[in-house]
Amino acid sequence: MKNLSFLGVDVAKDTLVIFDGQKVYEFQNERGLKKFKRKFFKKKEDRKKRVVIYEPTGPYSAFLEEFCATNMIKVVSLNPRKVPRLREVLGHRAKTDNLDAKLLYEYHKIVSEEEIKEIEYNENLEKLSLLLSEYQLYQNIENKLSNFLEYLDRVPVDSKESKKHIQKNLEETRQRLQKIKKEMEELVNKDDDINRGVREIEKVKGIGKMIATYCYIFFRKRRIRNRREVVALAGLDPEVKESGKRKLVTRISKKGDNRLRSLLFMGALSAIRCKEGGLKEYYESLIKRGKPKKVAIIACARKLLIFAFYNYKKWQMEAQSA
């Protein structure tokens, strides 16, 4: 830890703002990050001793993550939930890119060795992640087009022209969904590690191919260490409010991956209908204890996630010891 130097990197759509402990720099957020590399990682020794602290921001941080992975630069990927708390502790009331870069840099004072790691870059995994995002986009479009088509059947005016266009778009959307699904299956089958990992997660009752694929990407890209972390990153952890001796669990935090939560919710609905797997009994026991149906389903979704993560970690440990 003593031999390491840290960079606080605030990621925006078009720029990276970097603070090295003395000065603030700004670079274009573009693939390859050539200027960033020339300034901070020109020598091999720089790649060994410098650590990038950043907050993942979905597609905006993709170039930074690819750069760090291909150049074997260590990073601290700061959970977005920690940043507002860190801002409060350090008394940063204002929010600017420069201040955020300085804020991220300050985190090095309390960072643990476990948090410092290298990012793995797998081209097949990145392609699969992109295809999955596109699939979910077209699924949303399909639902909206189907709903609008039903609406047109009930309007008291001539809607033949509108129906014609909506039906055409709906057909094209469904064709694209089938094509993406086929491409995803081919990609999973092509990569042995991805294929085995997805199959292990898919063994959990209620988890189909789509949820298993998303879970695999989620676990692997974030390098999650334990069940507490995976539940928090999915936003399925309970939000607790305390005041004196009173301790109240209000709801789930939702401060995590909303797509994963949505998929797990649908998986839980499927799992509680199955006689096998144990979730049906768990769901019914929660209902008997007076829990609302939605709360019980969310609890089942959390169980599904924990089961999926257990299968994934078990497979990883077996693969490493083989």
Side-chain angles (χ1 to χ4, degrees):
M1 295 282 284
K2 291 180 180 179
N3 297 325
L4 297 175
S5 62
F6 294 83
L7 298 173
V9 181
D10 181 68
V11 182
K13 182 179 178 181
D14 300 313
T15 59
L16 297 180
V17 178
I18 292 96
F19 182 65
D20 64 355
Q22 296 180 334
K23 189 177 176 182
V24 174
Y25 302 85
E26 188 173 309
F27 300 100
Q28 195 71 21
N29 190 4
E30 57 188 2
R31 193 168 192 185
L33 300 174
K34 292 179 182 178
K35 292 181 179 179
F36 177 53
K37 185 177 181 179
R38 280 200 299 268
K39 178 64 185 173
F40 293 107
F41 300 99
K42 199 171 183 179
K43 299 175 183 178
K44 283 185 179 180
E45 306 90 76
D46 295 332
R47 299 176 198 179
K48 292 179 181 178
K49 70 178 184 180
R50 283 210 167 101
V51 179
V52 169
I53 304 176
Y54 77 106
E55 178 188 359
T57 52
Y60 299 155
S61 56
F63 291 149
L64 177 65
E65 290 168 347
E66 182 191 19
F67 171 80
C68 291
T70 52
N71 289 282
M72 292 182 289
I73 296 163
K74 292 182 177 65
V75 304
V76 174
S77 179
L78 199 57
N79 188 327
R81 293 186 63 192
K82 288 184 178 180
V83 178
R85 294 175 186 175
L86 188 61
R87 187 176 286 112
E88 285 178 21
V89 170
L90 296 176
H92 287 215
R93 294 182 181 276
K95 189 185 184 306
T96 66
D97 292 343
N98 287 12
L99 283 174
D100 281 351
K102 291 177 180 178
L103 180 75
L104 292 165
Y105 172 81
E106 289 297 320
Y107 187 73
H108 84 274
K109 295 175 181 177
I110 56 171
V111 72
S112 65
E113 287 188 29
E114 287 183 346
E115 292 176 278
I116 301 171
K117 44 185 133 174
E118 287 184 6
I119 296 176
E120 177 192 15
Y121 183 78
N122 181 302
E123 192 173 347
N124 287 335
L125 196 67
E126 296 301 324
K127 285 180 181 177
L128 189 61
S129 181
L130 178 63
L131 285 170
L132 191 55
S133 296
E134 188 182 354
Y135 187 87
Q136 290 173 320
L137 171 67
Y138 276 106
Q139 263 193 329
N140 290 334
I141 293 170
E142 182 193 24
N143 289 334
K144 287 179 180 179
L145 288 172
S146 296
N147 292 338
F148 194 72
L149 205 57
E150 287 181 15
Y151 163 73
L152 290 177
D153 286 333
R154 291 170 173 79
V155 293
V157 291
D158 182 13
S159 59
K160 287 182 182 178
E161 193 67 23
S162 295
K163 279 184 181 178
K164 183 181 174 182
H165 286 289
I166 295 296
Q167 284 171 336
K168 184 183 176 183
N169 287 331
L170 187 58
E171 187 179 336
E172 288 174 354
T173 299
R174 285 171 175 165
Q175 287 173 358
R176 181 59 187 155
L177 278 167
Q178 289 302 315
K179 190 174 180 181
I180 295 170
K181 197 173 182 179
K182 187 179 178 182
E183 287 177 17
M184 286 171 63
E185 287 174 359
E186 288 173 355
L187 199 54
V188 168
N189 294 331
K190 177 183 172 183
D191 191 301
D192 290 338
D193 280 345
I194 295 175
N195 188 17
R196 180 70 193 278
V198 169
R199 280 194 286 115
E200 288 298 322
I201 295 169
E202 209 176 351
K203 288 178 181 178
V204 179
K205 295 289 181 183
I207 291 186
K209 179 75 76 176
M210 196 61 62
I211 301 176
T213 303
Y214 197 97
C215 282
Y216 177 85
I217 294 168
F218 183 77
F219 300 155
R220 184 160 169 182
K221 288 185 79 172
R222 286 166 177 78
R223 294 194 176 187
I224 299 166
R225 293 168 292 178
N226 52 55
R227 56 183 282 178
R228 185 177 177 181
E229 190 175 355
V230 76
V231 169
L233 287 171
L236 286 168
D237 54 325
E239 200 167 66
V240 181
K241 291 184 179 179
E242 286 185 283
S243 179
K245 293 182 179 180
R246 292 183 64 192
K247 188 175 182 179
L248 180 66
V249 178
T250 53
R251 56 177 184 139
I252 57 168
S253 70
K254 294 187 179 180
K255 293 176 181 176
D257 195 306
N258 61 338
R259 286 180 180 173
L260 180 59
R261 281 199 310 279
S262 178
L263 286 169
L264 289 167
F265 189 86
M266 298 306 294
L269 287 173
S270 173
I272 60 179
R273 296 189 189 104
C274 297
K275 291 181 180 178
E276 299 176 8
L279 273 187
K280 182 180 174 66
E281 291 81 3
Y282 179 64
Y283 171 77
E284 288 174 350
S285 71
L286 290 172
I287 297 297
K288 284 178 183 177
R289 283 158 51 191
K291 298 290 183 184
K293 286 185 178 180
K294 191 173 181 180
V295 172
I297 294 168
I298 289 169
C300 290
R302 184 162 53 244
K303 283 278 186 187
L304 272 186
L305 178 63
I306 291 167
F307 292 156
F309 182 65
Y310 172 79
N311 280 18
Y312 171 79
K313 291 299 284 184
K314 185 182 175 184
W315 160 71
Q316 266 201 332
M317 289 171 71
E318 287 172 355
Q320 287 169 4
S321 59

